Amino acid sequence: MRLKFLIEYKAHWGQELFIKILKPKELSIPLTCSEDKNWHGFIDLNDDAFSFIEYIYEVKAKNRIVRSEGLRFSHKLSLNIEDKEAVVVDSWRDKLNDSFLYTDAFNSKNAVSPANTLKQSLNLRAWCHLDNNSALFITGDCKALGNWDPQKGVELVQIMPNFFSASLDKDDLPSYFEYKFAAINKDNGEIFWEIGANRNASLQKGICEYPPESEVKLYPFSPKIAGTAIPVFSLKSSGSFGVGDFGDLKLFIDWAIQTGQKLVQILPINDTTITGTWTDSYPYNSISIYAFHPMYIDLRQVGELKNTKLNNRFKKLQNKLNALDTIDYEAVNKAKREYLRCSYDESGLKILSSLKFKEFFKRNQSWLVPYAAFSYLRDKYATADFKRWKEHKYDPAEIAALCDEKSETYKDIAFYYYIQYLLHIQLSAVSNYAKAHNIILKGDIPIGISRSSVEAWVEPFYFNMESQAGAPPDPFAKDGQNWGFPTYNWERMEQDGYAWWLKRFNKMSEYFGAYRIDHILGFFRIWDIPTHAVRGLLGNFVPSLPLSVEEIESYGLKFQYDFMTRPFINEDLLNRLFDEDADLVKKKFVRHLHHDIYGLNEEFLTERQVQAYFKDKNDAKSLKLRDGLYSLISDVLFIPDRNRPNLYHPRIAVLDDYIFSRLLPAEKEAFTRLYNDYYYKRHNEFWYQEAMKKLPVLVNSTTMLTCGEDLGMVPDCVPWVMRNLDILSLEIERMPKEPGTLFNNTKTYPVLSVCTSGTHDMATLRGWWKEDPALSQSYFNNVLHHEGKAPQELSGPLCEEIVLKQLQSPSLLCVLPLQDWLSVDENLRCADIDKERINVPAIPRYYWRYRMHLTLEELLLSTGFNNKISALISKAGRN
């Protein structure tokens, strides 16, 4: 059989168009351009294995892929190999309209069947989001298509989720006809016609034809879903081991089902075991982008140990740890690891010899072996900092020998295979359970990777290890955030088509129907902080377009290198920052230059030097001195670009600093214009293009629903890209995106958004209410429209009112933290508001240890509360 492909595509000079066959096996076929934009190519198929093929189109230049269709909406053909010739007409597709409907979150559960293809036929292919009780038909102005009666038309077969096919015999069709698609409800026979004008077809007799795939929209469909956000570690059941686990997650899904919710969102669950201390509780600093944290294993499913004495000891320890109000991270991980080691010694090797494990190992070997070797060496050298290992350089041959089944180290290394296999089995069971009950399980993809991680060890070329990633200042972290992660080498990643990210996303899709991209702004630009800095103020965006001296002066601002790029320190500033300790600072940390001007001493020029000096000094006076010195160091107007020192970045948030106050009124006005242009206008098109290199490839690589955390300093181009790619934005009422406003208007949220009352980085509703009484008063009067003085504490009825406002927003998803759901019930909610806080981003090393104050069993039995939640969801039309 010879397949002829035809497609219109306007290529640039030097570009070539290829068909990439994905299934049943990968092939790449070049196309020929016959006219300005008309491309054609041929494939000869004589193998029954090619009765169904899946493919995409790619654009190459100099043997590199420069553009590609998304894998998520690949073209599909059911073929009749007996045909001598078939013509396939295609059109380029980046995505479908309303592409969010074609994700796992909303996939049709209708049965999928193979399509039969007739000889010499017209084969129609259609994308259509169809509810589970309907069937898709084609009908038209001829007898073969039912003369516009859908029930007498031809039913299409769903050959893949949301993708349908029908093979029409050309002998039964006129040479020209008009047609439409329609859906028929299987229960009541109701007909839903395709929206839009009639379609038409002109036939070429004697050959098999495949017209372009149709995108069929039958009826307006705007689902509204309610869900809960909860870290897995925060879950608590009567059978937990002092921390939430995957067994508890299944119980939590039961609660979501009971209350009419359709989504459960969790924080990252990757292994963060770096130091073995409580500092590893930070879930965004993992040692592997694939491996799950061992603490999430449900030991109940592992089974009791054969050693009765050991079993009893662990049961006592379990009861002790489970009785705690918060997580004892170190004790929990030590106990669970010890239990798993005992279980492994008893039955681990038997499990590793099973067929199911071998299948798991084969699929995951590429990351599992390096991870296990890394974990073994981390334990051996008592550090995850691989630069301190004797064999610190990654050598595939050495690692293969270390992990060989015949090596002395195999049993210790295979312990980590065992753990990851158990985690995979348990999370897969939770995922399948969620899907079976129409619950969307939503995961979280951190923006960064740890310096002490498998990826940094194995693939350092993908990262800029000399940089620190973070975030510029925002209302929750006035000095910015320094996460300490290396930044990505996007130029290197682009060379292999972002393979590193594609593998990461595809692994995630094994378990989740939706995901949140943490700090999606990082795909546009990242806040890059020099290694000598501790805080985020001395960073700059990368990539970016720094300013030349000529550009700076074009704003009417005379550039003065020393005054504008070096810390400005005078008597007045020293007295303001240090009060009675100003003289001490003059003696120890600064030197007099001239008049009332000072400079920093050589040993205190950087924040890292200051941090080292105060490392073991934690008294109030030392901390005040340290933070004051940090402020001196960052008191600059411009930061020279690290790679192009003759170009400059205006320092972030400097309009509130002392150096800015020293400018003349005209200079202040000029600098403010420069600052606003630089941060809010200059980079919009540039960053748009940067994001569009990466995000379309990644978003369309899986069928997960994509959500982006787009908080903070958001350039105008971010909403452009997110709307273009159907990525859901994040909307929080108390974190407005409109400058000069106190609160977002929940009624005007975009449909493609996630509405929430708060995130893990924020205080709960009740905590926020007490933080700033003036703000709470404004919200009470101007948003809730209550008169009089706002109560000091947020009552249950007021919480219910706020929760209902979120639920009634137009947002596709409304996902509230469990703490805020519980706040509506004054008898059920936690008495201690402070214990409900998950994280404080202004504290660099925060202990992530929040636990539910009641068990999941108790929550499931709280009928009155559960009925109230169900009623609120129903009232808002989210069921």
Side-chain angles (χ1 to χ4, degrees), residues 145-162:
L145 298 180
N147 288 316
W148 295 114
D149 182 353
Q151 294 186 352
K152 295 180 181 178
V154 176
E155 182 175 357
L156 285 87
V157 177
Q158 184 173 213
I159 61 173
M160 294 187 78
N162 302 309

Side-chain angles (χ1 to χ4, degrees), residues 301-364:
Q301 296 182 53
V302 175
E304 292 191 350
L305 300 174
K306 296 172 184 176
N307 186 316
T308 306
K309 187 176 179 180
L310 274 178
N311 228 25
N312 291 335
R313 180 169 73 82
F314 279 114
K315 280 184 179 178
K316 288 180 182 178
L317 186 54
Q318 175 193 7
N319 293 333
K320 178 183 176 182
L321 293 172
N322 217 29
L324 298 176
D325 292 338
T326 54
I327 300 166
D328 186 335
Y329 191 89
E330 293 169 22
V332 160
N333 278 282
K334 181 181 177 183
K336 293 191 84 167
R337 182 185 172 106
E338 187 181 347
Y339 189 99
L340 288 167
R341 189 76 207 199
C342 293
S343 173
Y344 175 68
D345 288 341
E346 288 184 354
S347 57
L349 294 180
K350 181 180 178 182
I351 289 175
L352 297 187
S353 64
S354 69
L355 181 60
K356 287 186 176 179
F357 168 78
K358 289 178 179 177
E359 290 172 351
F360 165 78
F361 184 82
K362 184 178 180 181
R363 290 195 309 271
N364 297 278

Side-chain angles (χ1 to χ4, degrees), residues 485-501:
F485 307 139
T487 59
Y488 293 110
N489 183 348
W490 287 113
E491 291 181 1
R492 174 61 181 81
M493 288 181 161
E494 186 181 4
Q495 290 174 14
D496 58 17
Y498 307 103
W500 187 87
W501 282 98

